[in-house]
Amino acid sequence: MRLPGWYWLSCAVLAVCGAGRAYNLTQGLEDASAQAAACPARLEGSGKCEGSQCPFQLTLPALTLQLPPQLGSMEEVLKEVRTLKEAVDSLKKSCQDCKLQADGHGDPGGNAAETARDSRVQELESQVNKLSSELKNAKDQIQGLHGRLETLHLVNMNNIENYVDDKVANLTFVVNSLDGKCSKCPNQEYTQSQPVQHLIYKDCSDYYAIGKRSSGTYRVTPDPRNSSFEVYCDMETMGGAWTVLQTRLDGSTNFTRDWKDYKAGFGNLEREFWLGNDKIHLLSKSKEMILRVDLEDFKGVSLYALYDQFYVANEFLKYRLHIGNYNGTAGDALRFSKHYNHDLKFFTTPDRDNDRYPSGNCGLYYSSGWWFDACLSANLNGKYYHQKYKGIRNGIFWGTWPGITQTQPGGYKSPFKKAKMMIRPKNFKP
Ligand SMILES: *[C@@H]1O[C@H](CO)[C@@H](O)[C@H](O)[C@H]1NC(C)=O
Ligand SMILES: *[C@@H]1O[C@H](CO)[C@@H](O)[C@H](O)[C@H]1NC(C)=O
Ligand SMILES: *[C@@H]1O[C@H](CO)[C@@H](O)[C@H](O)[C@H]1NC(C)=O
Ligand SMILES: *[C@@H]1O[C@H](CO)[C@@H](O)[C@H](O)[C@H]1NC(C)=O
Ligand SMILES: *[C@@H]1O[C@H](CO)[C@@H](O)[C@H](O)[C@H]1NC(C)=O
Ligand SMILES: [Ca+2]
């Protein structure tokens, strides 16, 4: 009868015997025999039976496993990768549909480009698949080795997380840039000759496309899997079709808010507001976007900054900002210098410090939620001052504004009268 061997092994493998201490596989196995007598697990014959074919019943006490807290984050990353995978699948499908349509209409020129695009999508898909299965493996391994990792993960988990964050952010970028190219069929004459019936308006440019030309609030659905919401559309500035993310014009809304407010958004779409980081994420993910910042001071000077790429990661990636190249008149304050650079920075609020300033919270110090570095060369969510102010420069700030850093008599700082951030698909043509 080999029953006792099974009995110990069950205890050791399931780690139910060493109650109250971190599980150590080696130790667990060694201790198993010593603790067998005390082990609360029971293996016994069940019911009536004959001969050697008896079914056995294993009774175990409630099983409690301590897993590293980062495993929850891995789950989030897996979700993000799955979303990417779906995006790639649908891109692939839309490209194939286009190809069929192009073939059907005898478009000999388009085919080489189509094939190249198709293989790019396939390559992307295999990248996403690979990352997805790597993540799954990593997760399974960590789960399996959780006891032994107990000490290791403290050292290594951060590196793994950063690496995975990077990969996911890069993939998201590629998927977004392909989306712009792939989601529209090359022979548009065919679809445009029929009345265009948009069922889903992803952002303000889709309203522009059906002829809406007046600025105001519209309902958009950037991700069909998620809910729709209202946005303010600027249909006038530089050709229009802009989805507005933020507006400051009179100080009617308080921008000193915590993480959950910046996540959900606040204020009044018709006046001053922050659209909300989850919504900004979905909008910037749905198409490849450009960012326009408009500023006006109290002397009536109006300048702007354009960034040819704009993406904000999801909450798990702390709404990290990605911006492209600068163009415009207001100066590149978001990427001011090596030491003051808001690109690739996490979002920080007075109650959530993700900045690069080691000895304090920039959001708390400057009364705002923003992609702080250590700390800032721009902050469009600073306090609204109606006139010049003294002390900490916690007002709306754009560090490349003409004359802004010149010291004024009495140490006064100049406020801004208006600020606005808005995005539009990169491939939009007015
Ligand atoms: C696990 O237990 C073995 C045997 O007691 C010991 O040599 C080893 O250092 C322990 N490992 C950890 C990670 O605690
Ligand atoms: C992501 O892209 C950046 C440049 O775009 C590159 O420097 C970085 O190595 C990439 N990260 C990964 C993990 O591929
Ligand atoms: C939908 O948005 C909510 C918050 O607005 C977010 O928590 C959720 O993860 C989103 N779902 C998808 C599928 O993106
Ligand atoms: C804005 O809100 C913050 C935090 O609730 C508060 O401390 C501050 O006094 C408010 N500012 C104004 C001008 O109401
Ligand atoms: C900047 O924008 C202007 C006007 O749209 C354009 O003519 C110019 O080529 C742009 N410059 C760069 C470097 O993109
Ligand atoms: Ca800090």
Side-chain angles (χ1 to χ4, degrees), residues 251 253-258 383-384:
T253 293
N254 189 342
F255 273 65
T256 307
R257 305 273 188 142
D258 61 11
K383 282 191 181 176
Y384 192 94

Side-chain angles (χ1 to χ4, degrees), residues 2-155:
R2 301 174 61 88
L3 183 70
W6 272 102
Y7 182 73
W8 296 335
L9 201 59
S10 312
C11 288
V13 169
L14 293 164
V16 291
C17 296
R21 96 181 127 69
Y23 180 60
N24 174 335
L25 190 61
T26 322
Q27 183 139 27
L29 282 168
E30 281 169 6
D31 289 357
S33 54
Q35 296 198 354
C39 180
R42 286 204 320 275
L43 186 60
E44 58 196 7
S46 68
K48 288 186 177 159
C49 64
E50 288 159 20
S52 57
Q53 302 291 69
C54 292
F56 275 90
Q57 188 178 329
L58 179 63
T59 314
L60 294 171
L63 193 60
T64 311
L65 296 178
Q66 291 274 341
L67 297 178
Q70 285 90 340
L71 271 178
S73 317
M74 294 287 268
E75 202 65 54
E76 288 298 315
V77 178
L78 259 176
K79 263 188 229 155
E80 186 78 2
V81 170
R82 255 180 242 132
T83 314
L84 280 173
K85 196 162 151 17
E86 281 166 28
V88 171
D89 285 345
S90 84
L91 274 175
K92 206 175 153 196
K93 191 176 171 309
S94 87
C95 275
Q96 271 165 357
D97 289 351
C98 286
K99 200 174 161 191
L100 288 178
Q101 203 179 323
D103 288 349
H105 281 256
D107 172 13
N111 276 341
E114 283 296 327
T115 313
R117 195 175 297 159
D118 220 40
S119 73
R120 187 76 188 89
V121 173
Q122 248 152 27
E123 187 190 313
L124 191 63
E125 190 183 50
S126 78
Q127 263 185 51
V128 174
N129 280 339
K130 189 156 156 271
L131 179 58
S132 171
S133 73
E134 271 173 13
L135 274 174
K136 254 187 228 126
N137 281 345
K139 211 179 112 207
D140 290 349
Q141 274 178 27
I142 293 171
Q143 217 140 11
L145 297 174
H146 71 274
R148 285 197 273 186
L149 267 174
E150 196 85 344
T151 47
L152 279 178
H153 85 268
L154 293 174
V155 185

Side-chain angles (χ1 to χ4, degrees), residues 124-359:
L124 191 63
E125 190 183 50
S126 78
Q127 263 185 51
V128 174
N129 280 339
K130 189 156 156 271
L131 179 58
S132 171
S133 73
E134 271 173 13
L135 274 174
K136 254 187 228 126
N137 281 345
K139 211 179 112 207
D140 290 349
Q141 274 178 27
I142 293 171
Q143 217 140 11
L145 297 174
H146 71 274
R148 285 197 273 186
L149 267 174
E150 196 85 344
T151 47
L152 279 178
H153 85 268
L154 293 174
V155 185
N156 289 334
M157 238 8 223
N158 282 337
N159 290 342
I160 297 173
E161 267 189 292
N162 286 344
Y163 173 78
V164 170
D165 276 16
D166 245 30
K167 281 268 192 197
V168 172
N170 276 14
L171 278 172
T172 310
F173 245 147
V174 182
V175 171
N176 284 351
S177 70
L178 267 173
D179 197 18
K181 298 188 196 97
C182 269
S183 55
K184 291 225 164 56
C185 291
N187 50 346
Q188 287 277 296
E189 303 81 30
Y190 176 67
T191 36
Q192 269 166 16
S193 61
Q194 300 165 346
V196 181
Q197 197 66 58
H198 275 93
L199 290 175
I200 288 174
Y201 304 97
K202 287 184 155 189
D203 61 283
C204 295
S205 74
D206 288 340
Y207 280 102
Y208 187 95
I210 57 158
K212 302 282 183 199
R213 293 293 184 274
S214 51
S215 298
T217 55
Y218 294 84
R219 179 159 282 273
V220 297
T221 313
D223 182 347
R225 287 176 300 259
N226 219 312
S227 53
S228 23
F229 50 87
E230 303 250 291
V231 295
Y232 190 87
C233 296
D234 177 332
M235 300 300 202
E236 284 136 48
T237 307
M238 210 178 87
W242 297 97
T243 305
V244 183
L245 308 182
Q246 183 252 31
T247 304
R248 311 297 297 275
L249 44 83
D250 56 11
S252 56
T253 293
N254 189 342
F255 273 65
T256 307
R257 305 273 188 142
D258 61 11
W259 185 266
K260 84 177 163 14
D261 283 0
Y262 272 97
K263 173 184 163 75
F266 54 81
N268 176 347
L269 284 181
E270 301 277 350
R271 291 179 74 179
E272 295 202 320
F273 66 92
W274 180 256
L275 184 60
N277 290 341
D278 280 333
K279 293 169 190 156
I280 294 174
H281 163 67
L282 290 178
L283 283 164
S284 73
K285 181 168 142 171
S286 77
K287 293 178 186 172
E288 197 178 0
M289 295 288 188
I290 63 171
L291 169 71
R292 181 176 163 114
V293 172
D294 278 286
L295 283 160
E296 186 183 326
D297 66 14
F298 280 97
K299 293 176 198 147
V301 178
S302 291
L303 302 171
Y304 73 94
L306 268 181
Y307 291 89
D308 70 2
Q309 230 161 11
F310 174 81
Y311 174 73
V312 169
N314 64 13
E315 184 174 21
F316 167 60
L317 300 176
K318 300 170 195 145
Y319 303 119
R320 181 157 44 185
L321 174 70
H322 300 251
I323 46 165
N325 294 320
Y326 162 83
N327 191 1
T329 56
D332 185 2
L334 287 182
R335 214 190 273 102
F336 184 75
S337 69
K338 203 173 153 192
H339 298 289
Y340 292 104
N341 183 353
H342 296 280
D343 185 28
L344 299 178
K345 297 307 177 296
F346 300 118
F347 204 82
T348 286
T349 52
D351 64 329
R352 198 77 73 88
D353 184 350
N354 299 316
D355 62 36
R356 284 166 48 85
Y357 180 60
S359 43

